[in-house]
Amino acid sequence: MNETSQVTDLVRSDFDLAITMGDPAGIGPEIICRAVAGMTPEQRSGVLLVGDPDIYRRAAALIEAPLEFVSLEKHRAGDDRVAVAEVHVAQGEALPDGRISAAGGDLAFRCVERAVALVQAGHARVIVTAPLNKAALHAAGHHYDGHTGMLAALTQAPSSFMLLASERLSTLHVSTHVSLRDAIDRVTEERITATVEAGHAHLKAMGLASPRIAVAGLNPHCGEGGIFGDEDERIIAPAVRALRQRGFDVQGPISADTVFYRASRGEFDLVVAQYHDQGHIPVKLIAFDTTVNVSLGLPIMRTSVDHGTAYDIAWQGHADATNMGAAIAYARHLAAQRTAA
Ligand SMILES: NC(=O)C1=CN([C@@H]2O[C@H](COP(=O)(O)OP(=O)(O)OC[C@H]3O[C@@H](n4cnc5c(N)ncnc54)[C@H](O)[C@@H]3O)[C@@H](O)[C@H]2O)C=CC1
Ligand SMILES: NCC(=O)COP(=O)(O)O
């Protein structure tokens, strides 16, 4: 029986969160154990870890957390031990700490695959992901651009969008993991429209009655009348006009050098960024520890830390789990909003 088919044999089905291990060579196992160790027994009972239990045990020992783990199939309501949907490292494969390996990339992929199956089967509600390394993922032959694209493929969603949500500033991206040259080609009316629609729907679902959305320009000063490029006038402005005609509270294009500052002061609930770094840099600058990566446009719910695998500090015992805590809190909030709706 393979790991995915085991979901049909589960003995319990009331987990709020399925938390995936990410790349085991990185800080994922450590920050997950830190976050779980800090939970109340009630919160912990709603958590299902996905990954290799021996690696979770090693991480718990590293941080001296008194956590015990039990296979999902043996877990019962009231059990103090942390339930684990087991996904094992391929035997005999090298998995060096803090280094890119096919074994690490493959385990990270199989954990996400398993988590999706668990959620689709109704055994968990929201997926929270620890970071994976995209080079390791590709080394293992899984050619996705990250979780966001992988989740779209695994759930047969036509598209997915990356939201970085923080208290002061949230950004949603027209494109993410492509080259800057490709990103410019992806600035199309269709993609801008779909991104605004996805952001609007998410904010409504999170309880905002009328989300105020800004769309960032692409070129310096939005092209300044065509002197520095014409995409802002030719593509972004018509897309925003059409959205406004449909009733969306959306403005733009607004120069990228001011729009994030304005949003961070409360003028907008969301900024649609035209490419990865445009939307990532301002949020990570002001809220690296607390920004949550949320996948939009999928039939399932998923949140994540905003940081990466941090190989440089992996398995040294001093990774900061604040961001994992924020991703978990956002996931719980998502689930609660969905229940209330
Ligand atoms: N959600 C995900 O799966 C994400 C995955 N990545 C991937 O992670 C890999 C490494 O990315 P990098 O650009 O090196 O960024 P990174 O976020 O892994 O590391 C950047 C710096 O921040 C530090 N850092 C990050 N998280 C930390 C934490 N929790 N506690 C203490 N220090 C922390 C690291 O030690 C490093 O100095 C790449 O393959 C990237 O694609 C990056 C972002 C998100
Ligand atoms: N820059 C964000 C990142 O790399 C995480 O991407 P994803 O795994 O959430 O698609």
Side-chain angles (χ1 to χ4, degrees):
M1 182 165 40
N2 68 32
E3 285 155 345
T4 301
S5 69
Q6 285 174 13
V7 294
T8 53
D9 304 329
L10 295 181
V11 291
R12 57 168 294 176
S13 60
D14 55 351
F15 294 99
D16 302 323
L17 312 176
I19 305 180
T20 59
M21 175 170 265
D23 187 325
I27 62 172
E30 178 182 340
I31 58 173
I32 290 170
C33 286
R34 283 192 190 281
V36 172
M39 289 177 186
T40 64
E42 192 191 347
Q43 289 172 332
R44 203 179 288 172
S45 71
V47 165
L48 172 62
L49 302 188
V50 185
D52 192 316
D54 288 338
I55 295 176
Y56 282 123
R57 283 187 193 100
R58 182 182 168 214
L62 177 77
I63 62 166
E64 298 178 1
L67 294 174
E68 287 187 55
F69 303 92
V70 61
S71 159
L72 174 59
E73 289 72 24
K74 295 187 181 148
H75 188 264
R76 295 287 179 274
D79 198 327
D80 286 342
R81 295 171 295 177
V82 185
V84 182
E86 296 191 20
V87 180
H88 295 270
V89 177
Q91 286 217 328
E93 294 249 2
L95 179 52
D97 294 346
R99 302 263 299 275
I100 291 170
S101 70
D106 186 51
L107 185 86
F109 170 75
R110 285 187 290 116
C111 287
V112 175
E113 186 182 46
R114 179 91 194 266
V116 168
L118 286 159
V119 168
Q120 287 180 329
H123 299 299
R125 303 192 63 200
V126 189
I127 298 174
V128 180
T129 59
L132 58 73
N133 184 290
K134 292 166 199 53
L137 186 69
H138 282 237
H142 305 297
H143 297 288
Y144 299 104
D145 67 348
H147 289 97
T148 312
M150 182 195 299
L151 288 166
L154 290 172
T155 60
Q156 282 97 44
S159 53
S160 53
F161 304 87
M162 189 185 295
L163 171 69
L164 292 187
S166 79
E167 204 167 323
R168 279 176 60 203
L169 175 66
S170 295
T171 61
L172 184 63
H173 301 76
V174 171
S175 70
T176 50
H177 293 131
V178 292
S179 75
L180 199 44
R181 277 182 208 286
D182 284 351
I184 293 168
D185 290 338
R186 291 178 192 220
V187 177
T188 63
E189 285 192 48
E190 293 73 22
R191 290 184 76 96
I192 293 163
T193 304
T195 310
V196 170
E197 287 170 345
H200 179 88
H202 178 72
L203 292 178
K204 293 271 285 187
M206 293 297 277
L208 271 185
S210 27
R212 300 160 305 156
I213 301 176
V215 178
L218 175 69
N219 295 301
H221 313 164
C222 297
E224 195 120 13
I227 311 172
F228 310 132
D230 67 357
E231 290 88 350
D232 294 87
E233 282 183 20
R234 188 166 52 80
I235 302 168
I236 303 173
V240 172
R241 268 198 304 275
L243 284 158
R244 287 180 67 81
Q245 278 162 8
R246 289 171 52 203
F248 288 89
D249 182 350
V250 55
Q251 293 183 42
I254 300 175
S255 290
D257 61 355
T258 55
V259 69
F260 300 102
Y261 171 70
R262 290 171 58 180
S264 75
R265 289 172 60 90
E267 203 175 326
F268 306 110
D269 302 308
L270 176 69
V271 181
V272 168
Q274 298 299 336
Y275 54 91
H276 181 281
D277 283 1
Q278 188 187 67
H280 274 54
I281 292 170
V283 185
K284 287 198 172 188
L285 193 59
I286 65 171
F288 187 80
D289 286 350
T290 52
T291 297
V292 179
N293 173 339
V294 189
S295 300
L296 307 188
L298 300 174
I300 59 168
M301 298 182 277
R302 173 257 178 170
T303 71
S304 178
V305 291
D306 73 342
H307 61 73
T309 45
Y311 279 165
D312 54 333
I313 59 162
W315 293 102
Q316 293 171 21
H318 51 81
D320 186 339
T322 308
N323 198 226
M324 176 52 80
I328 287 171
Y330 201 105
R332 289 194 198 285
H333 188 56
L334 262 182
Q337 291 294 120
R338 198 58 67 92
T339 305

